[in-house]
Amino acid sequence: MSIGIALSNALSGLTASTKRAEVISDNVANALTPGYARRSMPVSAASVAGEGRGVRTHEVIRAVDPRATFERRAAQSNLGRDQAFAGPQSVLADAIGTADQAGSLSSRAIALEDAIARLAETPESPSLQRGAVGAADDLARALVSASREVQATRMDAETAITRMVEQANDSLARIDALNEDIAAATTRGQSTAALEEARGEEIDRLADIIPVRTARRDQGVVAIYTPGGAALLEGRPALLEFDAKSLITADMTLASTGLNPLILDGEPITIGTGGGPLDGGALGAQFAIRDVVAPEAQAQLDAIAQDLILRFEDPAVDPTLAAGDPGLFTDEGGAFDPLDTVGLAARIELNAAVDPDRGGAAWRMRDGINAAAEGPAGLDVLPRAHLASLREMIATPVGSGVSGARSFMDLVDSVASLRARAAADADAAAAFSDGRYAVKAEAEATLTGVDSDREMSDLLLVEQAYAANARGLQTVDG
C-alpha cells in the first residue's frame, strides 16, 4: 500500500467518524423531542479495482416502523375523538344538573314542588303566593337557560369544525409540498431524513383530526387515505369545505337544510354518525355533537318542558281554564302545540296572569289562572291540585330518553341521571384512550426513538475509530 493510499484511507475514516458523530449528537439532543425518529448513517468499505480505499458513507436514514406508527396514529385519532366528546357531554350534564347543585334544573323543580306544598298549607299567605310564582318563574328560566347552553354547545362544535377543516387543508397542502421536496431530493441522491421528519409531523397533526393510513409510492412519496376509504392525498391533496352558520337554533338540522354538511372534493359526505369515511377522529366527533348529541339533550329538555306545561294546562286541575287556554306555564304566552315541540324548552315562560311584574296577580296561584277576582283566602283546592298533578305518574313524552309513567320530579331526575351517565362514560372513554395512546406511543418510541445509552455506546466506537484513523495519519506523517 502506497503512502497516498494510506493517507486517503485515514482521511476517509476521519470524515466518516465526524459525520457519524454529528448524527449521534443530533439524536442525543432530540432524545426527548416528541415524534423524533432515531437517525443513522450507514458506512461500508470502499474499493477501487478490488483494492480497499477507506470507507464510504451513505445517506442519513430514519428509523421507521410503519405498523407501530399506524397503531399510534390510530390511537391518537381515537384520543382526539373521545376528548372532543368529553367536554361537551359534561357541559350538557351541568346544564340540567343534579338536585344538590344550586340553581340547577333539578333543584328548581324541587323548589317549585316545595313552594306549592307550602302554599297548599297556608293559601291565604301573600308571601307564599309570591314564593310559588317566583319558584315557577325560576324553573321556566332554568329550562330556557339549559336550552341556550345546548345551542351554545352546538355553536362551539360549528366553530371547531371550521377550525379543523382549515387545519386539515393546511396539513394536506404541506404534506403535498414535502412529497415534492422528498421526490426531488431522492432523485438527486440527497438525504431526505429531515424532510420525512417534517412530513411525519404534518401527518400527525392531520391524525389529530381525521384517522389516516399512509401508503408508500415511488421516490419516497406517500399517499394518505382514511380507514373509511376516503382519499385525502393521492397525486394531489383533497379539498375539504365547510360553510359554518353564525347562529344555530334548536330547529336547525341537516335534514331541514338549516345546517351545512362537510364537503369533500365537491361532494357532501356523511360524518358524525360513526360510519362515514372521515369518522373516527375529532372532526367526526364535532359533527356528532352538533347533529346527534346536543339535539338529543335538547329533545330531553323539550320533553321536560312539555310535561310541565301539560300538567298545569289541564282544566281538570284548574277549573278556570277552558280547553286550549294556556296554564301556569306557556309556550311564549300561548298554549302547548303538539305540532311544535322542537325548542319548546327555549320558549317556555311563566303565564303573565300570575306575574305581578307583568300586570298579573300572585293570588291566581290559589284561585286559578283565569280567575277574575280573589276567592276565599283559605281556599286550598287549586294548590293541592297543582301538587297532585306534579306528583301524578303519567307517560313520559317522546324524546325524554326514558319510558314508563313518572312524576315530574322523577322525569327530571331520570333525564339528569342520563346526562350525568353520558358525561361519566365520555370521561372514562377519554381516560382509556389517553392511556392506550401512551402505550402505543411508547411502543413506537421503543422501535424508532432514541436510546441515549445506545447512542453514547455508539459514540465511544466512533471515538475509537476516529483515534485509529488519527494514528494512521500520524504514522504517515512520520
Side-chain angles (χ1 to χ4, degrees), residues 18-230:
T18 301
K19 291 180 178 180
R20 291 184 65 197
E22 290 175 355
V23 171
I24 292 172
S25 66
D26 286 341
N27 286 341
V28 173
N30 290 281
L32 300 179
T33 301
Y36 181 86
R38 183 180 67 256
R39 299 179 186 180
S40 60
M41 176 181 285
V43 296
S44 61
S47 62
V48 177
E51 295 185 2
R53 288 295 188 269
V55 295
R56 177 186 297 112
T57 58
H58 300 272
E59 67 179 41
V60 176
I61 58 175
R62 296 173 67 243
V64 295
D65 189 299
R67 183 64 187 176
T69 300
F70 169 74
E71 291 181 351
R72 190 262 302 162
R73 284 176 178 156
Q76 181 179 344
S77 296
N78 289 339
L79 176 59
R81 176 198 63 202
D82 292 338
Q83 286 181 334
F85 270 124
Q89 288 283 25
S90 295
V91 171
L92 295 175
D94 291 341
I96 297 178
T98 57
D100 58 350
Q101 290 178 313
S104 68
L105 188 61
S106 298
S107 67
R108 298 295 189 191
I110 293 174
L112 175 61
E113 186 170 323
D114 289 346
I116 293 177
R118 288 195 298 271
L119 179 61
E121 294 298 324
T122 316
E124 69 276 8
S125 171
S127 63
L128 292 180
Q129 294 167 7
R130 290 192 297 272
V133 169
D137 191 40
D138 286 344
L139 178 56
R141 291 177 184 274
L143 278 165
V144 173
S145 176
S147 183
R148 288 174 179 167
E149 198 69 46
V150 170
Q151 300 314 312
T153 299
R154 298 179 79 193
M155 273 305 307
D156 289 343
E158 188 89 341
T159 302
I161 291 169
T162 301
R163 173 178 52 79
M164 290 180 183
V165 166
E166 292 175 353
Q167 182 178 335
N169 284 330
D170 288 345
S171 290
L172 286 171
R174 292 190 186 104
I175 294 168
D176 184 51
L178 287 166
N179 267 346
E180 294 179 358
D181 293 342
I182 289 170
T186 301
T187 301
R188 294 192 296 266
Q190 298 173 338
S191 173
T192 61
L195 293 172
E196 290 179 16
E197 194 86 48
R199 185 177 63 186
E201 291 175 359
E202 288 299 333
I203 296 175
D204 288 346
R205 290 190 184 97
L206 186 61
D208 281 334
I209 304 169
I210 305 169
V212 297
R213 64 171 69 242
T214 60
R216 300 286 296 188
R217 297 291 185 258
D218 294 338
Q219 296 181 305
V221 170
V222 297
I224 301 177
Y225 300 89
T226 70

